[in-house]
Amino acid sequence: ATPTAVMVATGVGANHGVLIKGGEALERAQKIQHVVFDKTGTLTQGKAAVTTAKVFTKMELGYFLTLVASAEASSEHPLARAIVDYAYHFHFFGNLPTVKDAKNHVNDAKFSEWLLDVSDFSALPGRGVQCMINRERVLVGNRRLLTENGVTIPMDAETFLVGLEESAKTGILVAYNNILTGVLGVADPLKREAAVVIEGLKKMGVQPVMVTGDNWRTAGAVAKEVGIEDVRAEVMPAGKADIIRSLQKDGSVVAMVGDGINDSPALAAADVGMAIGAGTDIAIEAADYVLMRNSLEDVITAIDLSRKTFTRIR
Ligand code: ADP
Ligand code: MG
């Protein structure tokens, strides 16, 4: 392709809100064989909302929610925000919110007043959070977090958890004083265009892959809904880049699509990194492409544009 063709393609991309950082990135996109998608915030809308909360001890639901929100209040994870918003609503309105009521309350004046005192807070990437409340240890996170800390998950809680996961929800476990106290379910709906885009990629001869830190059962349910067969779940934050490199080692040209801080090493490792425009600055910086419209359709736009620019007309 001539420099003029590259310039034209860059302009066409820009008109679609596809920002391309240089001619080399534009050229590499035509050869993409695998597109690895982050799950949360990339395939899904990134609008996590709690759908259910169940207590398995004698603790009152209201107190349970306040306890969990207090533990999550200093976490910046999207799951934490969903939990805090849910608990806030219950505390101030006395009923469980619907998904429509979910709202960011962190900046409300009375936000912190109802929370319990927390000490020794730590965020454990890929696991959850840990802190001390009432001089007791509180753990909020996934199975790995609880089992690593020696908390056993009783049968009734396990059954409830599996039910959530099979319906594509993320189950969050809560332990107080090393006893499994309750479970919350969080849903994050798929982007509307996700399934159509996956089908389109397959038709173009491109293999879609999904990576996530979330558990296997939830990941599998989401992947099935969207039409992805190749799933990598329970991936630790550093593991996403390793997955990219292993696909490359097998000889593939690999694109990564992501939005989070977690995704930036993988975006940088990929042959073509594509950041969702609504994503974090770090992800946008690490990427070769920025999809400003936040639509997954632009993954196809990007590959198409490169193919049209660089494929010789026979
Ligand atoms: P991803 O962004 O790919 O979903 P993360 O590594 O951020 O993955 O999280 C992986 C899993 O760790 C989550 O699905 C959740 O089970 C657990 N987790 C992480 N942070 C929190 C948190 N603040 N509260 C509860 N669970 C968490
Ligand atoms: Mg994400």
Short mmCIF file of all heavy atoms in Angstrom, two decimals, residues 14-15 26 62 66 87 119 138 150 177 215 230 254 303 306:
data_model
loop_
_atom_site.label_atom_id
_atom_site.label_comp_id
_atom_site.label_asym_id
_atom_site.label_seq_id
_atom_site.Cartn_x
_atom_site.Cartn_y
_atom_site.Cartn_z
N ALA A 14 -10.80 6.78 11.49
CA ALA A 14 -11.15 7.89 12.39
C ALA A 14 -12.63 8.25 12.28
O ALA A 14 -13.28 8.55 13.28
CB ALA A 14 -10.27 9.10 12.12
N ASN A 15 -13.15 8.19 11.04
CA ASN A 15 -14.58 8.48 10.85
C ASN A 15 -15.47 7.48 11.57
O ASN A 15 -16.61 7.79 11.90
CB ASN A 15 -14.93 8.49 9.36
CG ASN A 15 -14.45 9.75 8.68
OD1 ASN A 15 -14.25 10.78 9.34
ND2 ASN A 15 -14.24 9.69 7.38
N LEU A 26 -1.79 -0.76 11.46
CA LEU A 26 -2.80 -0.91 10.39
C LEU A 26 -2.45 -2.11 9.51
O LEU A 26 -3.33 -2.88 9.13
CB LEU A 26 -2.85 0.37 9.55
CG LEU A 26 -3.78 0.35 8.33
CD1 LEU A 26 -5.24 0.27 8.76
CD2 LEU A 26 -3.57 1.58 7.46
N GLY A 62 -29.72 -6.98 56.55
CA GLY A 62 -29.28 -5.58 56.55
C GLY A 62 -27.87 -5.43 57.10
O GLY A 62 -27.05 -4.69 56.53
N THR A 66 -24.36 -4.29 55.12
CA THR A 66 -23.52 -3.20 55.62
C THR A 66 -22.08 -3.69 55.84
O THR A 66 -21.11 -3.00 55.51
CB THR A 66 -24.09 -2.64 56.93
OG1 THR A 66 -25.42 -2.19 56.67
CG2 THR A 66 -23.27 -1.47 57.44
N ALA A 87 -26.02 -2.29 48.82
CA ALA A 87 -26.15 -2.17 50.27
C ALA A 87 -26.63 -0.77 50.66
O ALA A 87 -27.46 -0.61 51.55
CB ALA A 87 -24.81 -2.47 50.94
N SER A 119 -10.34 -1.90 59.52
CA SER A 119 -8.89 -1.75 59.62
C SER A 119 -8.23 -2.87 58.83
O SER A 119 -8.87 -3.85 58.45
CB SER A 119 -8.44 -1.76 61.08
OG SER A 119 -8.76 -3.01 61.65
N VAL A 138 -12.81 -10.29 57.96
CA VAL A 138 -13.85 -10.35 56.92
C VAL A 138 -13.18 -10.61 55.58
O VAL A 138 -12.22 -9.94 55.21
CB VAL A 138 -14.66 -9.04 56.86
CG1 VAL A 138 -15.72 -9.10 55.75
CG2 VAL A 138 -15.33 -8.76 58.21
N GLY A 150 -8.74 -21.13 54.51
CA GLY A 150 -9.24 -22.22 55.35
C GLY A 150 -10.70 -22.14 55.71
O GLY A 150 -11.14 -22.77 56.69
N ASN A 177 -15.36 -13.91 60.58
CA ASN A 177 -14.77 -14.76 61.61
C ASN A 177 -14.54 -16.18 61.07
O ASN A 177 -14.82 -17.17 61.73
CB ASN A 177 -15.68 -14.77 62.84
CG ASN A 177 -15.07 -15.50 64.02
OD1 ASN A 177 -13.85 -15.67 64.07
ND2 ASN A 177 -15.90 -15.95 64.94
N ASN A 215 -14.59 -17.12 37.45
CA ASN A 215 -14.54 -18.58 37.58
C ASN A 215 -14.99 -19.28 36.29
O ASN A 215 -15.68 -18.71 35.45
CB ASN A 215 -15.38 -19.02 38.76
CG ASN A 215 -16.85 -18.94 38.45
OD1 ASN A 215 -17.46 -19.88 37.96
ND2 ASN A 215 -17.44 -17.78 38.68
N ASP A 230 -13.49 -21.20 22.79
CA ASP A 230 -12.17 -21.23 23.43
C ASP A 230 -12.18 -20.26 24.62
O ASP A 230 -12.12 -19.04 24.44
CB ASP A 230 -11.10 -20.84 22.40
CG ASP A 230 -9.68 -21.06 22.92
OD1 ASP A 230 -9.52 -21.27 24.13
OD2 ASP A 230 -8.76 -21.00 22.09
N VAL A 254 -1.95 -12.50 16.85
CA VAL A 254 -2.96 -12.40 17.90
C VAL A 254 -3.34 -10.94 18.19
O VAL A 254 -2.48 -10.09 18.39
CB VAL A 254 -2.46 -13.06 19.21
CG1 VAL A 254 -3.54 -13.04 20.28
CG2 VAL A 254 -1.99 -14.48 18.95
N ILE A 303 -10.22 -4.86 11.19
CA ILE A 303 -9.62 -5.93 10.38
C ILE A 303 -9.95 -5.73 8.90
O ILE A 303 -9.09 -5.83 8.03
CB ILE A 303 -10.07 -7.32 10.88
CG1 ILE A 303 -9.60 -7.53 12.33
CG2 ILE A 303 -9.51 -8.43 9.98
CD1 ILE A 303 -10.14 -8.80 12.98
N SER A 306 -7.88 -2.95 7.28
CA SER A 306 -6.52 -3.37 7.01
C SER A 306 -6.48 -4.30 5.80
O SER A 306 -5.63 -4.16 4.91
CB SER A 306 -5.95 -4.07 8.24
OG SER A 306 -4.67 -4.58 7.97
#
